Amino acid sequence: QLAVLYIDIDEFKSVNDALGHAVGDELLKGVAERLRTCLKESDVAARLGGDEFTVIQTGIKDRSETTRLVDEIYSAIRQPLDCTGHLITTDASIGIALAPGDGVELDQLLRNADLALYGAKGDGRRTYRFFEAGMDQRAKARRSLELELRQAISDGSLETHYQPVVNIEDGKISSCEALLRWRHPERGMISPAEFIPIAEESGLINELGQWVLNAACAEAATWPDHVRVAVNVSPVQFRSQSLALNVAAALAASGLPASRLELEITEAVLIRDDAALDALHQLRKLGVRIALDDFGTGYSSLSYLQRFPFDKIKIDRSFVRDIAGPGASSSIVQAVVNIAAASDMMTTAEGVETEQQRNLLYILGCNEMQGYLFSPAIPAVEVRRLLLT
Ligand code: C2E
Ligand code: CA
Ligand code: CA
Ligand code: CA
């Protein structure tokens, strides 16, 4: 039996754009070298062009051997790479097809491995998938959703709703978070959890992100002066070098003071190269506030807090959900609140649904809360009504 792996390297494009071809080439060379260290003599590795590689694993008895190889590949390429002086951490998505089950011709195996790769990316980045029947259909559905999303930006079926964030002590609204809503003509409401990843993969997120930014700034300019607006910024938007410029443009067009705009970013931004950190500093210089979103999920290392002086930490709702339970959630929240207080950062708890959660968060010293207990995300007109009465 054979396994054909289709490997797509993350970060290559952003590294290439931000740091130049020499560093990009160095990165791919480094990755190729590390790939080879995982292979046995009879296996084959080749670059398919761009930032894609294929590996053909020979003489396997079952797929567990392939899974083991994939694990090895991940641990090899996830080590930071020194590329002409830049320490770069990269990662990959991998699609796998097996011969003879998924095909006998190399062409077909590669095509199926590519479909599996497409599926892997659909799961979010940094994962692998084996080819399965039906992946073809799903890939088609995804592509058509991508086309429809492109259309939706221009035809008005996208809306921003706003979820109030309140002071945990007195319940006063301090800011509202802009959350995208897509009213699909046939499928009804589609969750951003479904379409944001598609927009990120297709690059559409840049356009979409700018659209939300403009809409949110324009809307917030009609709110009372003390209420800020929070906008989510995808790690992909950090790869385009014009983010700070785009933010400045949205502020200028709306007349909203920079201090009333808060950008929410995730840790994924900070594990990239230093270019992202530069972009954060540029944004800070504009005077906008920066919040670290979904804190406690993903890579979640406290060391990220030292990489940039955030204005706010948003504690992920998984901790809030379990806060009254027997696990470590409440001690984790306590630790985060303490660290934040020591470095002049605010803390906002996400997904607060019950009085009990609110009370515990209050006792732990959390500053703000957001969640269904107070209000879900609501249309702009309703927010205005809430704020202006
Ligand atoms: P997020 O940034 O963590 O946003 C909070 C999510 O939690 C929202 O889901 C919100 O509706 C939901 N939520 C709020 N309170 C509660 C609660 O009490 N209980 C529960 N169970 N959920 C609550 P939503 O609107 O579906 O958005 C999902 C994610 O999509 C967001 O997570 C964010 O990562 C992304 N997203 C939404 N709009 C945008 C956008 O304009 N740009 C980008 N880049 N991402 C966006
Ligand atoms: Ca790639
Ligand atoms: Ca958010
Ligand atoms: Ca969040």
Side-chain angles (χ1 to χ4, degrees):
Q1 274 201 8
L2 285 180
V4 173
L5 281 64
Y6 206 122
I7 305 176
D8 181 286
I9 305 300
D10 288 344
E11 314 313 327
F12 168 71
K13 198 175 173 312
S14 56
V15 165
N16 217 44
D17 292 349
L19 303 172
H21 297 306
V23 183
D25 286 345
E26 200 64 25
L27 174 66
L28 289 182
K29 240 186 268 163
V31 168
E33 240 161 67
R34 288 187 178 175
L35 269 180
R36 268 191 289 275
T37 62
C38 305
L39 304 184
K40 54 181 192 300
E41 193 107 7
S42 56
D43 295 346
V44 181
R47 182 152 159 214
L48 288 168
D51 57 351
E52 292 175 343
F53 293 87
T54 183
V55 164
I56 298 172
Q57 186 190 24
T58 53
I60 53 167
K61 284 179 207 69
D62 63 84
R63 65 163 69 191
S64 69
E65 290 177 51
T66 305
T67 308
R68 223 173 307 132
L69 173 63
V70 167
D71 286 340
E72 271 172 49
I73 290 177
Y74 273 124
S75 39
I77 64 179
R78 279 175 178 159
Q79 308 293 329
L81 254 168
D82 187 351
C83 302
T84 53
H86 299 272
L87 206 56
I88 294 167
T89 311
T90 191
D91 212 329
S93 305
I94 305 178
I96 307 157
L98 299 170
D102 304 331
V104 281
E105 304 278 336
L106 189 56
D107 275 29
Q108 192 188 8
L109 287 164
L110 268 175
R111 211 165 35 241
N112 287 343
D114 189 22
L115 280 170
L117 172 65
Y118 199 71
K121 287 187 177 181
D123 287 348
R125 260 168 230 99
R126 306 174 195 97
T127 176
Y128 67 93
R129 290 279 291 272
F130 284 91
F131 174 77
E132 291 159 24
M135 277 183 160
D136 210 0
Q137 293 308 313
R138 259 168 288 154
K140 273 200 200 106
R142 236 177 125 74
R143 277 188 201 109
S144 78
L145 206 60
E146 186 183 316
L147 288 176
E148 287 172 334
L149 184 55
R150 203 173 285 276
Q151 184 71 37
I153 299 178
S154 47
D155 75 9
S157 46
L158 284 179
E159 279 171 48
T160 35
H161 284 198
Y162 298 87
Q163 184 177 34
V165 177
V166 299
N167 183 301
I168 208 162
E169 213 162 334
D170 60 17
K172 289 211 173 79
I173 300 176
S174 51
S175 65
C176 297
E177 176 176 0
L179 292 162
L180 268 170
R181 295 291 176 263
W182 182 9
R183 216 181 292 277
H184 189 279
E186 287 121 43
R187 297 179 47 193
M189 281 292 194
I190 302 183
S191 160
E194 186 176 345
F195 68 81
I196 294 286
I198 294 179
E200 289 179 331
E201 264 168 50
S202 57
L204 210 55
I205 191 72
N206 286 310
E207 213 175 308
L208 200 57
Q210 188 63 26
W211 185 85
V212 176
L213 205 53
N214 288 334
C217 289
E219 194 56 43
T222 70
W223 298 345
D225 284 343
H226 64 275
V227 182
R228 282 190 286 264
V229 68
V231 177
N232 291 285
V233 181
S234 156
V236 177
Q237 288 173 269
F238 274 84
R239 298 179 196 166
S240 96
Q241 287 166 70
S242 52
L243 181 60
L245 224 64
N246 294 344
V247 169
L251 289 170
S254 62
L256 187 76
S259 59
R260 288 180 54 202
L261 175 63
E262 189 166 273
L263 299 179
E264 297 193 1
I265 67 157
T266 57
E267 289 154 337
V269 168
L270 296 171
I271 55 172
R272 319 273 150 181
D273 47 279
D274 292 341
L277 211 56
D278 286 346
L280 273 179
H281 284 290
Q282 280 176 34
L283 289 166
R284 168 59 61 71
K285 251 191 257 151
L286 285 177
V288 303
R289 292 163 50 99
I290 313 280
L292 185 55
D293 202 1
D294 303 340
F295 189 77
T297 61
Y299 291 80
S300 249
S301 147
L302 288 175
S303 69
Y304 290 129
L305 293 177
Q306 294 175 330
R307 293 204 69 188
F308 187 80
F310 292 95
D311 297 288
K312 178 185 281 190
I313 302 176
K314 298 191 76 171
I315 301 169
D316 191 69
R317 74 162 179 266
S318 53
F319 296 104
V320 174
R321 192 187 49 221
D322 302 337
I323 199 166
S329 285
S330 74
S331 355
I332 293 172
V333 170
Q334 181 72 78
V336 173
V337 167
N338 290 346
I339 291 169
S343 7
D344 266 332
M345 293 185 268
M346 298 272 286
T347 43
T348 303
E350 298 189 293
V352 181
E353 295 181 353
T354 68
E355 273 304 335
Q356 188 194 24
Q357 290 166 345
R358 190 204 80 95
N359 291 338
L360 285 169
L361 288 160
Y362 178 66
I363 292 166
L364 292 172
C366 196
N367 309 116
E368 295 179 331
M369 65 165 194
Q370 176 178 7
Y372 298 160
L373 177 64
F374 185 80
S375 168
I378 51 180
V381 275
E382 286 179 38
V383 177
R384 230 176 294 160
R385 207 175 304 136
L386 200 63
L387 290 173
L388 298 175
T389 53

